[in-house]
Amino acid sequence: MDRRFSRQGEQEQADFFPIIAWEKTGEFCNNYFRKGQKVAIIGRIQNRSWNDEQGNKRTVTEIIAEEAYFADSKKDNYTSDGFEPKNTGAEGFFPIEDDDLPF
């Protein structure tokens, strides 16, 4: 995720966190989300520690997804590079744009 603010003259920075999604949430993410796509995740943060093969202590901060949603508009998902979500028969969530409303 890009940081909202950066110092003048500095390059924008982004943070990346591993997201763990289990069961139906994981299946939904696998079937419909693509690299670089904006998504909204509801879940919890988890820290884990372990010792690697060399005996060094390692720590990771992960996000455990409980819910996942599209954050791009539906129109943004169909770009010139041909992106389309896989159609696996599962129902996905697309936010409704004002111009999509019938009234």
Side-chain angles (χ1 to χ4, degrees):
M1 176 171 124
D2 292 336
R3 294 184 183 173
R4 287 185 179 212
F5 303 101
S6 61
R7 293 185 179 138
Q8 190 172 10
E10 286 186 0
Q11 184 176 2
E12 290 185 18
Q13 295 182 349
D15 297 305
F16 298 92
F17 295 95
I19 298 175
I20 311 298
W22 298 102
E23 300 174 351
K24 290 186 179 194
T25 302
E27 291 175 25
F28 176 83
C29 293
N30 181 62
N31 291 333
Y32 292 98
F33 292 162
R34 298 289 171 264
K35 184 177 180 177
Q37 183 179 11
K38 291 181 182 178
V39 299
I41 302 295
I42 297 172
R44 68 183 195 280
I45 296 175
Q46 170 180 287
N47 291 312
R48 287 189 305 119
S49 297
W50 73 96
N51 292 323
D52 66 13
E53 294 174 1
Q54 291 77 31
N56 300 316
K57 186 173 182 176
R58 301 288 182 183
T59 303
V60 65
T61 300
E62 302 167 321
I63 298 171
I64 308 301
E66 295 169 359
E67 298 176 36
Y69 302 96
F70 291 95
D72 285 329
S73 70
K74 187 173 181 179
K75 292 175 188 174
D76 290 341
N77 289 334
Y78 295 89
T79 60
S80 60
D81 66 359
F83 167 78
E84 284 189 45
K86 289 183 191 175
N87 184 2
T88 60
E91 290 185 5
F93 171 82
F94 286 94
I96 297 175
E97 298 289 321
D98 285 342
D99 57 342
D100 291 338
L101 297 174
F103 49 90

